Amino acid sequence: MTSAVYIHIPFCEKICHYCDFTKFFYDEKMADDYLIALEKEIATYIIEPQQPMRTIFVGGGTPTSLNMRQLKKLLSIIDFYFDISQVEEFTFEANPGDISEDKIKLLNSFGVNRISMGAQVFDDDLLEHLGRLHRIKDVYRNVNDLKKNGISNISIDLMYGLPNQTLAGFEQTINEALSFDLPHYSSYSLQIEPKTIFYQRYNKGKLHKPPEEVEAAMYELLIEKMEQKGKLQYEISNFAKLGFESKHNLTYWDNDYYYGFGAGAHGYLPNQRIINLRPFPAYVKQASETGRPVLHTEPIGRKEQIEEELFLGLRKRSGVKFNTFEEKFNVSLTSIYQQELAQLRQKKWIEQDQYGIRLTKQGQLFGNEVFAAFLLEQEPSLT
């Protein structure tokens, strides 16, 4: 049963230099057309209104770039198709500076109980270099407004490995972020993605990231600082007070099913991954006409499910449990990967006990190499 839904709102007031998500400059008419198409898509999959869901996540882009009328329309669509009273976690992404107190009150009135905010760094010069519109003071104002209006489950995103960022500078960012004592923090290293401004600069030799050893030191410092303040690492890039782990994101890492609605959104339903069209005109046209704005559907067989169980599950600090794996796939993890597990233990990239396997701290630095070890040549037989 699918108990999670992701909804993509692709509009932004400004396009950040590093972002490769599906996004468009905000335009009122475009946003109106988009919401009509989005509702048609949701209605095609959710036949009976008031579908119970455990988690809803509205991401972007910047969902709160919608004006008040459009934001109310979006929330009304969600409220009609999903039983909000059953939702444990209802998250909206927001950029500091674009979420007014009126918008906060509106979100709260429709049951939104969690905000994920892209602070990125506590350094105004670096924010300018990243192409961000907000400044440090906006984070303080928005966090205060959110708490004042009844939304205290707030997550802040941070970035490291940025051009001109030093280890001392990142430490200052961590310290300032932790001074809010929020229940959840995420932090990601900068990836130079195609079709971004940073990618163009990088190819011209005009953008330089910190050396790998400095980036690794930033990550190790992040883990240390977070744990000192009681924010426990529960996934490679995520830290939380006990009980405030992101329930929606754990759906992904637990390799469970979820709907994905909107331009460029991905959904995962039994035996298939659905990838939506990204271009605005193509998405709106196809969604409006058919309700299925699908770029392509990728079959997910047992072999792929097993591989993804390892790739995703090992992102969690709790790792992959032997009994859960065997219940899902009717075969033991150790019988499929005996040689690979031995090699990874020898490299000290994983640790193993009677319950399961998990990455070591060293293994977190070599995650891609670890994940590659679990690629299968063929589907394993049932035991």
Side-chain angles (χ1 to χ4, degrees):
M1 180 184 172
T2 306
S3 61
V5 58
Y6 172 79
I7 298 172
H8 191 75
I9 304 299
F11 300 104
C12 294
E13 296 290 343
K14 186 176 181 181
I15 306 300
C16 300
H17 297 345
Y18 54 85
C19 178
D20 76 328
F21 293 125
T22 303
K23 74 278 182 189
F24 315 105
F25 284 110
Y26 173 78
D27 173 89
E28 186 174 13
K29 173 67 165 59
M30 285 175 65
D32 283 338
D33 291 344
Y34 185 84
L35 291 176
I36 293 169
L38 178 68
E39 181 170 13
K40 182 68 180 291
E41 183 191 5
I42 294 172
T44 303
Y45 288 86
I46 309 300
I47 308 299
E48 294 289 332
Q50 293 299 291
Q51 188 95 182
M53 283 289 149
R54 183 166 177 261
T55 68
I56 298 173
F57 194 107
V58 183
T62 312
T64 49
S65 67
L66 297 175
N67 64 32
M68 283 289 288
R69 173 182 59 80
Q70 292 164 339
L71 192 58
K72 186 174 183 179
K73 170 69 173 173
L74 171 62
L75 289 162
S76 297
I77 291 169
I78 295 169
D79 189 61
F80 178 80
Y81 288 97
F82 305 105
D83 182 358
I84 302 302
S85 69
Q86 300 296 311
V87 173
E88 296 177 20
E89 183 185 271
F90 187 176
T91 302
F92 254 70
E93 284 186 341
N95 281 336
D98 73 3
I99 180 167
S100 65
E101 205 164 348
D102 284 344
K103 288 183 179 180
I104 292 169
K105 290 175 180 176
L106 181 63
L107 292 170
N108 195 12
S109 72
F110 275 89
V112 174
N113 57 18
R114 185 174 183 270
I115 294 292
S116 178
M117 190 180 296
Q120 313 312 4
V121 288
F122 284 82
D123 180 321
D124 281 346
D125 290 337
L126 263 181
L127 287 169
E128 173 97 21
H129 191 64
L130 291 172
R132 302 287 294 180
L133 276 175
H134 84 272
R135 295 297 178 260
I136 296 170
K137 61 180 172 56
D138 297 316
V139 181
Y140 281 86
R141 186 180 73 253
N142 285 165
V143 169
N144 180 61
D145 287 346
L146 285 163
K147 289 181 175 180
K148 186 170 69 175
N149 288 283
I151 301 179
S152 58
N153 191 357
I154 304 166
S155 176
I156 274 184
D157 286 354
L158 305 174
M159 295 182 73
Y160 61 95
L162 300 172
N164 305 317
Q165 188 180 38
T166 63
L167 182 61
F170 184 53
E171 182 172 16
Q172 184 272 325
T173 277
I174 299 170
N175 289 340
E176 192 157 356
L178 283 169
S179 71
F180 290 97
D181 193 26
L182 299 176
H184 192 282
Y185 294 86
S186 301
S187 189
Y188 305 92
S189 67
L190 173 67
Q191 304 298 311
I192 308 294
E193 302 287 359
K195 299 181 181 178
T196 63
I197 292 173
F198 272 3
Y199 184 77
Q200 296 168 9
R201 291 179 183 173
Y202 183 77
N203 282 347
K204 293 176 182 176
K206 295 181 178 179
L207 184 143
H208 304 282
K209 291 187 66 179
E212 283 185 10
E213 60 271 19
V214 174
E215 195 170 313
M218 289 176 173
Y219 182 61
E220 290 168 353
L221 180 67
L222 171 73
I223 296 170
E224 179 186 331
K225 289 274 187 182
M226 288 287 167
E227 292 187 349
Q228 283 174 359
K229 293 294 185 178
K231 320 302 176 188
L232 303 180
Q233 185 183 28
Y234 70 98
E235 190 269 346
I236 285 177
S237 302
N238 287 269
F239 307 81
K241 291 181 182 177
L242 201 60
F244 286 90
E245 300 83 357
S246 170
K247 293 180 174 70
H248 183 84
N249 287 341
L250 282 167
T251 300
Y252 303 149
W253 302 319
D254 287 338
N255 203 19
D256 288 336
Y257 300 128
Y258 56 91
Y259 291 108
F261 298 125
H266 289 212
Y268 180 36
L269 302 178
N271 303 316
Q272 60 178 332
R273 195 175 301 284
I274 300 168
I275 297 95
N276 274 357
L277 293 159
R278 287 178 66 128
F280 181 86
Y283 171 81
V284 168
K285 182 176 186 295
Q286 194 70 11
S288 299
E289 291 177 358
T290 71
R292 294 188 184 273
V294 177
L295 175 63
H296 68 92
T297 300
E298 179 184 326
I300 303 292
R302 185 165 169 271
K303 171 181 172 292
E304 290 78 20
Q305 289 175 346
I306 288 172
E307 291 170 343
E308 291 186 4
E309 190 79 11
L310 274 298
F311 303 161
L312 296 167
L314 283 173
R315 292 187 62 89
K316 300 178 296 180
R317 288 299 297 134
S318 58
V320 177
K321 302 299 184 189
F322 292 141
N323 60 349
T324 303
F325 186 93
E326 192 160 354
E327 284 170 11
K328 277 189 173 184
F329 302 110
N330 294 312
V331 65
S332 72
L333 193 157
T334 51
S335 69
I336 303 174
Y337 293 113
Q338 184 175 4
Q339 183 178 342
E340 291 80 2
L341 293 174
Q343 291 171 346
L344 292 169
R345 286 197 306 270
Q346 187 176 12
K347 292 179 179 178
K348 295 184 167 47
W349 288 355
I350 67 165
E351 53 191 17
Q352 179 176 333
D353 58 22
Q354 61 182 322
Y355 302 108
I357 60 171
R358 65 200 60 80
L359 291 178
T360 61
K361 287 194 174 181
Q362 185 181 356
Q364 291 182 57
L365 299 173
F366 296 94
N368 289 337
E369 288 91 332
V370 176
F371 302 152
F374 294 107
L375 290 169
L376 294 168
E377 292 184 10
Q378 60 187 22
E379 182 178 317
S381 59
L382 298 171
T383 54

